[in-house]
Amino acid sequence: VGGTDLQNNIAYHVAEGGIEKMYSDLSAVFQNAQAPTADQICAVSNTPPSVIGVTWNPYSVAPASGCTGPLKAHWGKLTGGPWATLYAQIIPVNMQATAVMAGGQEVSMTRSAQVALIPVFQFGVFCESDCAFFDTPNLNFAGRVHTNNDLYLGVGANHTLTFNDKLEAYGNVVTEVLPNG
């Protein structure tokens, strides 16, 4: 009984690893192609993990609209996560990984995801690299700010720097040093 339980646990974790690899590979598709086709998304199904003694049946990734024909998406407001309140083109994607162990244990996992393609015009400021704001003259900024690198915020005596929406930095938020050092 203990051996069977151990094999069942292993099958569960292998299936979980398969679905995580699938998710990572799907993310890579959208990082490498700005507007991938349904075929490119479905191609993730062709690269299951290689685990000794495990076969995958099925191992599939597909947009809700299917693997053939045009990719169908809809526009909507994001309701959760770091991009909540922004509008995006939403592409629903379904994933399924079934790990079949050599001993006959089988675990199937499914995951539904929504890929959100967010137009950059919704940001007050969007910086691909470093971004800097300084308070002379006083600044009161109403829009959302995002940078894919460091965000520098400078505040001097008798001045104010006010943001009324989210600030996001993929790198660091720096308040003590100017970008030039």
Side-chain angles (χ1 to χ4, degrees), residues 30 34-36 70-78 86-93 113-122:
F30 281 89
Q34 200 168 31
L71 187 60
K72 293 182 184 172
H74 66 277
W75 281 94
K77 191 174 191 178
L78 300 175
L86 294 178
Y87 287 88
Q89 182 181 20
I90 300 170
I91 304 167
V93 177
Q114 292 184 333
V115 177
L117 304 176
I118 301 169
V120 73
F121 68 82
Q122 296 176 85

